[in-house]
Amino acid sequence: AWSARADRPIASGLSIDVHPTPEFSIGVDRLSFLQTEDEGVFALRAAVRLSAGPQLKRFHPMGFVSVGGEYTIDLDQGTDTVGTGLVGTGARMRFMATPNFFLSADLRAEWVVAQQDVRTLVGADFGFLIGRRQSQFEPIEPSDSVKPDTVDR
């Protein structure tokens, strides 16, 4: 997954979700490493995300909330800042390209507790499902007009 902000660089990371039902998921949100706007300063992030939304044919719109933390490291100064809390909310749209492969995009607002700052972020990612096939991709039975001809004897 990656996120971008006009005044921040791209962040890359990993998200993992478990879907107890097709409409609800809980997972790791943006386990990531990024360089901040300050030269030589890097941040490690991890959060938990709860998402919910209707499962449509190939689209899955979701609202979500996330709670996590960020640990900042200044390589130039040799110092680190022990974490700050992150609280976020937003919306995500997932497109199922195949039964197991998806593309998604999200828009979120994230509150950084220590800085009393709200960040607006956009993100895009891709992924795949393991262990559960999407029911909307079940084989379609041929209609009467395309069934093979039968011969009565």
Side-chain angles (χ1 to χ4, degrees), residues 41-88:
V41 180
F42 296 86
L44 300 171
R45 295 180 176 185
V48 174
R49 177 182 61 230
L50 298 173
S51 304
Q55 179 70 48
L56 306 175
K57 283 217 176 244
R58 287 193 181 247
F59 290 94
H60 189 184
M62 297 173 271
F64 65 86
V65 294
S66 64
V67 177
E70 180 177 281
Y71 180 80
T72 306
I73 303 162
D74 187 336
L75 296 178
D76 294 337
Q77 300 292 325
T79 60
D80 55 357
T81 304
V82 176
T84 181
L86 301 171
V87 179

Side-chain angles (χ1 to χ4, degrees), residues 3-146:
S3 299
R5 181 178 173 183
D7 63 342
R8 292 183 68 94
I10 291 176
S12 61
L14 173 70
S15 296
I16 301 170
D17 290 273
V18 174
H19 291 262
T21 72
E23 296 82 18
F24 177 76
S25 71
I26 183 170
V28 175
D29 183 41
R30 295 183 337 142
L31 179 60
S32 61
F33 176 78
L34 71 138
Q35 182 177 2
T36 67
E37 62 269 10
D38 299 325
E39 192 66 35
V41 180
F42 296 86
L44 300 171
R45 295 180 176 185
V48 174
R49 177 182 61 230
L50 298 173
S51 304
Q55 179 70 48
L56 306 175
K57 283 217 176 244
R58 287 193 181 247
F59 290 94
H60 189 184
M62 297 173 271
F64 65 86
V65 294
S66 64
V67 177
E70 180 177 281
Y71 180 80
T72 306
I73 303 162
D74 187 336
L75 296 178
D76 294 337
Q77 300 292 325
T79 60
D80 55 357
T81 304
V82 176
T84 181
L86 301 171
V87 179
T89 187
R92 166 176 280 199
M93 177 63 77
R94 179 176 286 172
F95 170 72
M96 297 303 300
T98 71
N100 291 324
F101 179 76
F102 63 85
L103 304 169
S104 66
D106 67 51
L107 174 64
R108 71 176 65 212
E110 188 174 76
W111 182 51
V112 183
V113 177
Q115 299 169 356
Q116 298 292 306
D117 180 35
V118 175
R119 303 172 182 162
T120 303
L121 303 157
V122 294
D125 60 58
F126 62 92
F128 54 93
L129 300 176
I130 299 173
R132 182 178 64 85
R133 294 207 177 263
Q134 298 293 307
S135 60
Q136 72 270 23
F137 291 105
E138 294 298 323
I140 298 171
E141 292 297 323
S143 68
D144 289 334
S145 63
V146 294

